[in-house]
Amino acid sequence: MPSKRPFRVARDVPGGINPGSFGRKGGRGGQSPAGWAERMGSSGRGAKEVLVKISGGGRDADGVQAHFEYIDRHGKLDIETDQGEVLHGKTAATELINEWALDYGAVPGAPHSRGKIGADGKRRQPRQAFNIVLSMPAGTPPQKVLQAVKKFAREEFAHQHRYAMALHAEERGKHGMHPHVHLVVKAEHEYGGPRLNPRKADLQRWRERFADYLTELGVAATATRREDRGFVKTHKKTSIYRAAHREPRNPGAPGQPETMNTAAGDSVFMRRKLEAVKRELRTTGTVEDRDGYRSLLNVRAKVNKRYGEAINWLRQQGREEEARRFELMQQHLPQVRSEKQMIADAVVAQQRVSSGRNEDQGRAL
């Protein structure tokens, strides 16, 4: 009988295994040239981009309960758990907190202690749960979005992290409501594994899986990166993003053209950035953003590499027409410009428009 010798298998690295996956199959290879080409191709054919974001997370039982009360509209909407139970009513949030043992820790110093503060008095305890939002554009059937999220959560978190979700699909405003699901995932592993700590790569992988599950349900969905479509990534906090898209409170502020004021919306952060760019233009006639521009050039180089690999793969498969279409897509990528440079471009364009108006008024007089 041949002897059995133990051997070590790499874990959580390409080519290795992850025992915590419980035998789940991986995604469809969105990082490979084939997977990347398929996703970019579906985007070009009109598939809608999925949205997956982390909107925050409670650092104690009270914070998590408050979020549960928000997503179920204080008992008006259903919350579905990882056990398949549907909770309804004002006590649903409290029931989940107790079941997840998030209230454990009322004793100072115990795990999940609500009042645990570091020696410097500033340290906050880690998140007890993550609030994840999975969304699709208006017009997508809400129940299919919910079904896709259920499969995503089961494949990603079952037997590892407790989770619960609520569907939001009510109409709001003239544009309707983008159907989306609030998914709350407990950070602590149920069986002593690592805590949930999602990174940028995890979010992209989640987007790809969510898009795959929607596609299985007959919804044309995809998950491409913004930089692959030629857009500049300008991550903003939710509060800044919302303020920048609100109408300004004083659009007719003295010395500020109305269109330039609305460019920053009601965001103090964006208005300050706008003013800084204007000062630099008045002083030097141009703006310097070498670090930001260099970083974007590095990103664009990676994007061009992905295009090249995809084009070669398509040609190897005999898909010459698609390969040529990808070449055209690559050629028509927007010019690389940092956010600061784009703000400067907008300021200069606005000044030209204002100057033209003044000349017209002068001729009229």
Side-chain angles (χ1 to χ4, degrees), residues 2 6 44-45 68 89 118 145 162 185 202 211 252 254 260 269 280 290 302 309 312 341 345:
R45 292 189 294 271
F68 275 133
V145 175
R162 300 299 306 273
V185 184
D202 295 315
M260 284 314 301
F269 174 85
E280 189 171 345
R290 295 179 181 177
K302 295 177 182 178
E309 292 173 346
N312 289 337
Q341 291 169 329
D345 292 343

Side-chain angles (χ1 to χ4, degrees), residues 180-359:
H180 60 278
V181 175
H182 290 270
L183 175 64
V184 183
V185 184
K186 184 179 177 182
E188 184 180 5
H189 197 288
E190 289 300 292
Y191 302 103
R195 289 174 57 87
L196 185 63
N197 186 27
R199 293 301 191 224
K200 181 179 177 181
D202 295 315
L203 284 173
Q204 178 60 26
R205 178 171 56 83
W206 291 356
R207 290 185 68 233
E208 292 173 1
R209 286 195 169 186
F210 181 38
D212 288 346
Y213 301 146
L214 282 166
T215 301
E216 291 174 2
L217 295 171
V219 178
T222 189
T224 61
R225 299 180 182 88
R226 284 179 57 83
E227 61 262 32
D228 290 338
R229 288 174 275 134
F231 295 107
V232 176
K233 281 194 171 183
T234 54
H235 294 291
K236 300 285 189 306
K237 291 183 178 180
T238 302
S239 57
I240 295 175
Y241 176 83
R242 290 178 177 173
H245 285 75
R246 283 199 303 264
E247 289 295 327
R249 300 175 188 177
N250 56 342
Q256 178 81 306
E258 183 174 346
T259 52
M260 284 314 301
N261 199 337
T262 55
D266 196 36
S267 170
V268 175
F269 174 85
M270 290 303 297
R271 201 172 299 131
R272 288 174 178 169
K273 183 173 285 192
L274 176 62
E275 290 299 328
V277 169
K278 291 170 70 176
R279 284 194 301 271
E280 189 171 345
L281 283 172
R282 284 195 298 267
T283 304
T284 65
T286 184
V287 293
E288 289 290 340
D289 191 14
R290 295 179 181 177
D291 292 339
Y293 184 66
R294 187 181 299 112
S295 176
L296 290 175
L297 285 178
N298 291 336
V299 171
R300 178 57 61 88
K302 295 177 182 178
V303 171
N304 285 329
K305 181 180 179 182
R306 287 196 285 268
Y307 268 101
E309 292 173 346
I311 290 168
N312 289 337
W313 179 82
L314 288 169
R315 287 207 163 102
Q316 290 172 5
Q317 303 301 311
R319 297 159 64 174
E320 181 63 29
E321 184 177 347
E322 291 181 69
R324 291 178 180 175
R325 182 160 58 86
F326 270 66
E327 287 178 336
L328 287 175
M329 290 167 60
Q330 183 181 13
Q331 292 170 10
H332 288 86
L333 287 174
Q335 181 183 3
V336 175
R337 303 288 284 172
S338 69
E339 182 183 40
K340 185 177 179 181
Q341 291 169 329
M342 288 191 291
I343 292 174
D345 292 343
V347 170
V348 171
Q350 177 58 34
Q351 290 173 345
R352 289 173 179 169
V353 171
S354 299
S355 177
R357 288 175 182 171
N358 293 336
E359 290 179 2

